[in-house]
Amino acid sequence: MVRRASRPTASARRSDQWRCIMSRTPNLEHENFRPRHVDLGTSSWLQILLGCIAWSILACLTPNRLSAQPSMARPSDQAQPKMVKVYGAGGLSGLEAYQSGFLVSPAGHIATAWSYVLDVDPVVILHDGRRFESKIVGFEPALELAVLKIEADDLSFFPIPETNSISWGDPVLAVSNLFGIATGNEPASVMQGRVAAKTKLDARRGTFQTPYRGEVLLLDLVANNPGAAGGALINPAGEFLGMLGKELRDRKTGVWLNYAIPADVLRQPIGDIIAGRKTTLPDESNPVLPREKSHSPTSLGIGLIPDVLENTPAYIDFIEKESTADRVDLRPDDLIVLVNGRRVSHQRAFRDLLRRIDRRDQVALVVQRDNEILDLVLRP
């Protein structure tokens, strides 16, 4: 009969494991056991000491370095008195009736984006809640720039620099009334980001709908939101860098473009408008001529869309063949924006301006065709 070996108990197994561990542990009292001595040497101790000193210096310098970073709170506060909220036409078909602007003179001149909001003389609200009726004293369609005027004095404003030293990666602040959040004395919204690139905006090669063709600052921040057009781009020192452009979206890819028009591009036209060298206000000194002696849309061969609104835009409906307008290639759907340098805010203004021009004289028109601005001269 074969007997099976009995299984050791749990206590016996633990006792065997303990004896195994103890047998592998050196006897600290044995005369041959000596603790190992590691000799680092003088050079090693010196390296350790120098490392500790270096870490101490870095620890001391870190707070100072952090405090040396430019603070965005101060320029944000400084910009608020120079910003305005602009309210005008809109409110239908999803069109916002508001946008942004910024003061460019202590006498109440305001730069903003040229858009449908300015189809009427807009209301301007300052940072402290004061409301003013404004007049459009000039605009530059090719830059999508307009200048308004309110009756106020001693206002804070942004000086427009002659040169633009901004470069890729520079920190910036975009100040605007995006989404119409501020309606009274509330501060304008501020977004922080960086300049992503400086490049030329040529919308004719893409699908962005804008007449502007010049240099832009592409921004690494979502700046061009509803209501942000006409806002100010500033640096950490609070200096003006450019004007925020209108919303641009690629119709094919759906990509939104966040950009600003540089300050040095805006300086000359803003200065000309403020100085009166370039104005779009009607010249009341020119008398209204008799109908048989003045120009009219019919005499030029221009047919406008039906005038059914209070301020119907001067869109062309048709062109008479072999007429004066046909010879300069005016087309249906062209929008007439200037006549002899004067603003055409609606069809009545277009007819009134033509009534002040002798039929024997030429007529200079500025029209918008899709995303292009065209200068045309109609000679009788």
Side-chain angles (χ1 to χ4, degrees):
M1 182 176 181
V2 180
R3 299 183 59 185
R4 292 185 179 179
S6 61
R7 180 177 297 180
T9 63
S11 59
R13 289 198 302 271
R14 285 195 297 268
S15 178
D16 292 341
Q17 292 172 358
W18 178 250
R19 284 195 297 270
C20 180
I21 293 173
M22 291 300 295
S23 64
R24 297 178 182 177
T25 305
N27 186 359
L28 298 181
E29 296 180 357
H30 194 276
E31 61 180 357
N32 294 327
F33 177 80
R34 294 288 187 273
R36 179 176 294 180
H37 176 70
V38 179
D39 187 5
L40 294 176
T42 305
S43 60
S44 299
W45 282 110
L46 183 60
Q47 292 175 1
I48 295 174
L49 180 60
L50 291 176
C52 294
I53 294 174
W55 278 108
S56 300
I57 293 174
L58 288 175
C60 294
L61 289 179
T62 299
N64 294 333
R65 291 181 65 186
L66 290 176
S67 62
Q69 296 294 324
S71 172
M72 294 301 185
R74 183 176 180 182
S76 174
D77 294 338
Q78 292 175 340
Q80 295 298 333
K82 307 170 186 177
M83 301 300 301
V84 303
K85 303 101 177 174
V86 181
Y87 293 88
L92 299 176
S93 301
L95 299 177
E96 294 81 14
Y98 55 87
Q99 62 185 44
S100 305
F102 53 93
L103 289 156
V104 291
S105 82
H109 291 93
I110 299 164
T112 186
W114 176 54
S115 72
Y116 64 86
V117 175
L118 306 184
D119 285 348
V120 297
D121 288 329
V123 174
V124 169
I125 301 179
L126 300 184
H127 77 289
D128 55 9
R130 287 182 290 168
R131 302 171 66 93
F132 293 88
E133 298 287 339
S134 70
K135 291 292 183 182
I136 302 172
V137 295
F139 71 100
E140 179 56 63
L143 295 178
E144 297 195 312
L145 165 72
V147 177
L148 316 178
K149 179 69 170 66
I150 60 174
E151 296 302 323
D153 295 312
D154 299 326
L155 299 175
S156 298
F157 68 98
F158 284 114
I160 310 299
E162 296 182 7
T163 59
N164 190 352
S165 59
I166 193 170
S167 59
W168 173 83
D170 288 350
V172 293
L173 291 178
V175 190
S176 68
N177 187 27
L178 57 87
F179 298 110
I181 295 175
T183 58
N185 60 355
E186 301 89 352
S189 301
V190 181
M191 301 185 71
Q192 182 176 350
R194 293 185 179 273
V195 175
K198 294 174 65 175
T199 186
K200 292 281 187 177
L201 181 62
D202 193 346
R204 287 170 294 186
R205 297 180 181 176
T207 53
F208 293 109
Q209 294 294 317
T210 175
Y212 182 59
R213 298 286 182 266
E215 186 181 68
V216 294
L217 302 173
L218 299 184
L219 307 176
D220 186 15
L221 62 103
V222 186
N224 300 91
N225 295 294
L233 187 74
I234 63 175
N235 62 14
E239 299 169 332
F240 180 76
L241 298 178
M243 181 181 73
L244 299 180
K246 297 191 293 187
E247 295 178 84
L248 289 184
R249 186 178 185 181
D250 192 311
R251 291 177 298 177
K252 293 182 178 179
T253 64
V255 174
W256 292 93
L257 184 67
N258 298 288
Y259 72 101
I261 301 176
D264 55 338
V265 176
L266 301 171
R267 177 181 171 85
Q268 184 67 39
I270 289 177
D272 288 343
I273 293 173
I274 292 177
R277 294 187 294 269
K278 186 174 183 180
T279 180
T280 59
L281 292 175
D283 187 0
E284 301 295 341
S285 62
N286 291 334
V288 176
L289 302 176
R291 294 184 184 276
E292 66 274 9
K293 294 184 178 181
S294 65
H295 281 294
S296 68
T298 302
S299 68
L300 296 174
I302 298 174
L304 301 175
I305 63 174
D307 188 4
V308 295
L309 301 175
E310 181 179 358
N311 295 305
T312 305
Y315 277 104
I316 296 177
D317 188 27
F318 63 89
I319 296 295
E320 294 286 352
K321 291 184 178 181
E322 299 181 358
S323 65
T324 303
D326 189 37
R327 289 197 297 268
V328 298
D329 195 28
L330 275 172
R331 304 175 186 177
D333 296 329
D334 285 350
L335 174 64
I336 302 172
V337 295
L338 293 177
V339 173
N340 285 358
R342 305 295 173 176
R343 175 182 174 233
V344 178
S345 55
H346 42 69
Q347 292 190 15
R348 295 192 311 279
F350 178 52
R351 295 187 177 93
D352 180 74
L353 289 170
L354 291 180
R355 285 288 305 274
R356 299 173 188 270
I357 303 174
D358 193 289
R359 186 170 291 196
R360 297 167 295 180
D361 296 334
Q362 66 183 24
V363 179
L365 297 182
V366 175
V367 301
Q368 180 173 352
R369 179 177 298 162
D370 294 329
N371 59 340
E372 293 186 79
I373 297 295
L374 304 175
D375 294 289
L376 304 173
V377 177
L378 284 68
R379 295 179 175 87

